[in-house]
Amino acid sequence: MKKNTEKTNVMRLLEQKKIPCTSHDYTDTGVVSGVEVAAVLNQNPAQVYKTLVTVGSSNSNYVFLIPVQKELDLKKAARAVGEKSIRMVKSKELLPLTGYVHGGCSPIGMKKTFRTVLDASAADLDTILFSGGRIGHQVEVPFRELKNILRYELADLVETPE
């Protein structure tokens, strides 16, 4: 994939904090799913994370990051944030809430700061990829640097195969 020279707000925020990142552009590929994104970027899907925005039974919002090839276990997610239950935010609610559209939602640079939880598998990675804040853009950040721009917790969040 070509390196895109057009910076997103996420890239600017990473630059401001002096966090090294690699921009990956897949705008001309037509792929949509996270697993397809990982494939066209020639990346391990276990290293490419999707950003999921939820709302708890208390009406508080939460952000969860999980590997693209996995599914969020809503019960585990609710337990991780101390809620009785959580549900995914509807697509139409995403832009006004976060400033991002579905498919281009990044945990960095949202309109408000929400409690953020990463799947514990991220701690084993050297780098993690997630949305660069626009459809067709991913950023790759050293995992150890993520704490310098994003306040997060680690928890087991994904469904386990039966």
Side-chain angles (χ1 to χ4, degrees), residues 100-124:
Y100 292 121
V101 297
H102 183 78
C105 188
S106 179
I108 296 171
M110 290 189 180
K111 283 182 173 182
K112 292 182 188 169
T113 302
F114 300 110
R115 186 169 171 191
T116 301
V117 184
L118 268 72
D119 186 65
S121 61
D124 299 328

Side-chain angles (χ1 to χ4, degrees), residues 91-154:
S91 281
K92 67 179 182 186
E93 298 168 355
L94 195 61
L95 181 61
L97 182 66
T98 66
Y100 292 121
V101 297
H102 183 78
C105 188
S106 179
I108 296 171
M110 290 189 180
K111 283 182 173 182
K112 292 182 188 169
T113 302
F114 300 110
R115 186 169 171 191
T116 301
V117 184
L118 268 72
D119 186 65
S121 61
D124 299 328
L125 301 173
D126 290 330
T127 63
I128 180 173
L129 286 86
F130 50 85
S131 175
R134 197 176 301 146
I135 295 172
H137 298 274
Q138 293 276 307
V139 290
E140 183 174 3
V141 177
F143 177 74
R144 70 183 182 288
E145 295 283 342
L146 200 54
K147 68 184 181 306
N148 296 325
I149 193 163
L150 185 65
R151 222 187 300 152
Y152 65 85
E153 306 156 43
L154 293 171

Side-chain angles (χ1 to χ4, degrees), residues 72-103:
L72 181 66
D73 183 317
L74 294 173
K75 288 183 180 172
K76 287 181 180 178
R79 258 194 313 273
V81 294
E83 287 278 1
K84 273 188 189 169
S85 64
I86 61 165
R87 67 171 172 78
M88 299 301 298
V89 164
K90 292 178 177 67
S91 281
K92 67 179 182 186
E93 298 168 355
L94 195 61
L95 181 61
L97 182 66
T98 66
Y100 292 121
V101 297
H102 183 78

Side-chain angles (χ1 to χ4, degrees), residues 8-32:
T8 65
N9 286 336
V10 171
M11 292 175 219
R12 285 185 199 93
L13 290 167
L14 288 164
E15 197 174 78
Q16 282 173 6
K17 294 276 187 179
K18 297 188 179 3
I19 296 171
C21 82
T22 304
S23 169
H24 298 274
D25 182 299
Y26 62 96
T27 48
D28 300 332
T29 64
V31 300
V32 218

